[in-house]
Amino acid sequence: MDRTIKSVKAYEMMDSRGNPTVGAKVCLSDGSCGFALSPSGASTGAYEAYELRDQDMGRYGGKGVKKAVKNVNTAINGALMGLSADKQTEIDYKMIEIDGSENKSNIGANAMLAVSLAVAKAAAMSYNLPLYKYLGGINGTKLPRPMMNILNGGAHAKNNIDIQEFMITPIKTDSFADGLRCCSEIYHTLGSLLKKYNMTGVGDEGGFAPDLQSDEQAIEIICTAIEKAGYSTDDIKIALDIASSEWYQGDGVYFLPKRKVNMSGEALINMYEELCNKYPIISIEDGLGEDDWDNWKIMTDRMGEKVQLVGDDLFVTNPVKLCYGIDNKVANAILVKPNQIGTLSETMRVVRMAVEHGYKPVISHRSGETEDTTIADIAVATNAGQIKTGAPARSDRVAKYNRLLIIESEL
Ligand code: PGA
Ligand code: ZN
């Protein structure tokens, strides 16, 4: 089969918040084509690869991606034409070379990721394989456990809750489909329980966004929902994404913007320990800020044996950052968002690196998503074991769950 790349074309498209994003189509000489879309974050880490936006205030409030699209249609198209699509690493490093910057700011990580994923999809099609099988071979067979967001706060919702994401995760179900059903039933039960609160609808990832007396009350209501739906907190656990980089003021000080209180890193660690002792919480993401490595180290020493401590903004899917974490024994899990690093090869590499060093990978969507389901295939291909892809409430989130249901039936 002739898998040489014949054309690479990008388009300005739209994400789930109605903001522009890059879509890219890659076609090969044998007629195979792949299409992919980049997602986009709201509580983005400071050290993520650069998302190139036009800054033309006359279009989409400055968020247009015409420049990124043009970069694909000119420089990237020219450089990738004639390369073989199954040489993913070579292609990704070619784009990195053309970009030439530290953080992919010239071409734009949004442009590069869409192309990188589209190349893999075109190659998979050419081999007549589903994407997870092309990426994972005969090893990539494990369906991930959903970490389902059911209640939103922080930068993802206009309510009075400071913690960004309250998730549930089924630790004892027989299949992905079963786990998904449990989570969805609990989500609906939670919706009924929240009717008496001032519900402002749902947050960006589809979790309910009520006004409550405290963030702790959200956890209490979720525990009630688990029981009321007919499940036990022995089987269905809670995971939190604090997204505390949004709160970090520097010098170990945090400001919680909804409650309008200051807290020290130490006070936050104490609070997490108390919450974990009181409630069935098994995972905490970004409990501390992306620059607060000292407190991260203290939190890991104190809690790392019992609780999964996930670095999202801390590691930004970057092998160099993860390496520093491994060397210093900071965190014990990593959130993996392909657009934080900008290419598929680097994403796969960071997952491998995490697993080799005993860090648990959690494959993740962004708050600004699309119908693209590549992360579902990546989760299976890498045997990551966990996926974070929102509530069973919006098509951008549900598309990933549906993709996993299909993969499960194929396997
Ligand atoms: P983001 O949020 O996509 O807005 O960064 C997701 C997360 O923090 O995990
Ligand atoms: Zn996060």
Side-chain angles (χ1 to χ4, degrees):
M1 251 335 150
D2 185 3
R3 301 197 169 90
T4 51
I5 294 176
K6 235 178 81 188
S7 66
V8 183
K9 186 156 174 44
Y11 308 84
E12 184 179 65
M13 299 186 77
M14 193 171 273
D15 74 13
S16 56
R17 274 194 284 251
N19 292 324
T21 191
V22 182
K25 186 173 181 189
V26 171
C27 290
L28 314 185
S29 295
D30 70 357
S32 305
C33 289
F35 177 76
L37 286 147
S38 284
S40 178
S43 61
T44 47
Y47 304 105
E48 294 191 16
Y50 192 80
E51 187 178 70
L52 184 63
R53 297 211 178 261
D54 298 337
Q55 312 301 341
D56 167 4
M57 296 316 280
R59 296 186 71 249
Y60 285 118
K63 291 188 172 167
V65 292
K66 291 267 191 203
K67 285 182 191 161
V69 165
K70 188 165 170 221
N71 289 340
V72 173
N73 294 341
T74 53
I76 297 291
N77 180 49
L80 300 194
M81 225 181 315
L83 296 183
S84 184
D86 51 9
K87 303 268 188 301
Q88 184 76 41
T89 310
E90 196 181 301
I91 288 166
D92 288 342
Y93 279 84
K94 186 86 201 166
M95 289 196 281
I96 291 168
E97 185 191 314
I98 294 168
D99 173 78
S101 71
E102 274 281 300
N103 61 350
K104 304 186 172 78
S105 55
N106 290 324
I107 298 292
N110 43 349
M112 284 165 75
L113 182 74
V115 173
S116 183
L117 300 180
V119 165
K121 289 186 183 187
M125 184 181 180
S126 173
Y127 279 103
N128 204 15
L129 288 171
L131 185 60
Y132 68 91
K133 206 160 262 183
Y134 171 67
L135 297 176
I138 56 168
N139 282 323
T141 54
K142 187 171 162 188
L143 269 290
R145 170 161 55 77
M147 267 172 51
M148 183 185 278
N149 180 339
I150 58 171
L151 200 147
N152 270 191
H156 289 176
K158 292 184 180 71
N159 60 352
N160 69 353
I161 303 288
D162 275 305
I163 293 177
Q164 181 176 281
E165 297 166 29
F166 297 76
M167 294 167 279
I168 47 172
T169 188
I171 57 165
K172 285 191 191 152
T173 41
D174 295 335
S175 65
F176 174 79
D178 255 354
L180 185 64
R181 179 178 52 80
C182 299
C183 291
S184 178
E185 288 169 8
I186 294 164
Y187 175 76
H188 290 298
T189 308
L190 178 67
S192 319
L193 290 176
L194 288 173
K195 276 198 184 119
K196 63 177 175 222
Y197 299 92
N198 174 22
M199 282 267 281
T200 51
V202 297
D204 288 345
E205 297 175 353
F208 297 115
D211 282 329
L212 299 173
Q213 270 153 26
S214 66
D215 286 32
E216 186 171 343
Q217 192 190 13
I219 302 174
E220 273 167 14
I221 297 174
I222 288 170
C223 289
T224 307
I226 292 171
E227 306 277 346
K228 253 199 147 177
Y231 299 101
S232 152
T233 50
D234 291 337
D235 303 335
I236 311 287
K237 300 291 183 184
I238 293 176
L240 303 175
D241 180 5
I242 311 294
S244 73
S245 293
E246 297 291 307
W247 305 345
Y248 195 49
Q249 308 294 307
D251 290 332
V253 177
Y254 292 78
F255 177 69
L256 284 58
K258 310 256 177 110
R259 310 250 169 249
K260 301 199 176 5
V261 291
N262 276 319
M263 285 178 84
S264 66
E266 197 195 344
L268 285 175
I269 299 168
N270 291 340
M271 179 177 88
Y272 302 146
E273 252 180 351
E274 275 169 34
L275 289 175
C276 289
N277 287 335
K278 208 161 154 193
Y279 301 102
I281 297 168
I282 59 166
S283 179
I284 295 182
E285 180 183 329
D286 280 353
L288 295 157
E290 62 209 346
D291 290 314
D292 196 3
W293 286 86
D294 293 345
N295 277 318
W296 256 105
K297 172 74 182 145
I298 294 168
M299 177 169 70
T300 310
D301 289 347
R302 276 171 56 177
M303 303 176 65
E305 291 283 311
K306 285 199 210 138
V307 181
Q308 174 171 274
L309 300 171
V310 188
D312 170 10
D313 292 349
L314 183 75
F315 293 139
V316 288
T317 315
N318 187 319
V320 177
K321 289 265 180 192
L322 177 62
C323 195
Y324 185 80
I326 291 166
D327 286 348
N328 292 285
K329 297 193 169 58
V330 167
N332 55 27
I334 176 174
L335 203 75
V336 177
K337 293 167 164 169
N339 82 318
Q340 279 184 329
I341 187 72
T343 67
L344 178 61
S345 314
E346 290 168 288
T347 304
M348 298 296 271
R349 187 174 147 221
V350 97
V351 176
R352 261 195 323 272
M353 189 182 200
V355 171
E356 277 164 15
H357 292 89
Y359 278 56
K360 296 262 193 295
V362 181
I363 310 299
S364 173
H365 64 162
R366 299 306 304 249
S367 51
E369 261 298 330
T370 70
E371 65 274 26
D372 190 295
T373 58
T374 310
I375 56 165
D377 287 73
I378 293 177
V380 176
T382 57
N383 294 314
Q386 296 173 83
I387 192 166
K388 205 175 97 153
T389 191
R394 302 174 48 150
S395 305
D396 38 307
R397 318 293 150 181
V398 173
K400 279 69 160 175
Y401 291 127
N402 282 338
R403 174 69 189 144
L404 287 164
L405 289 170
I406 287 180
I407 296 176
E408 183 164 67
S409 73
E410 285 175 4
L411 288 170

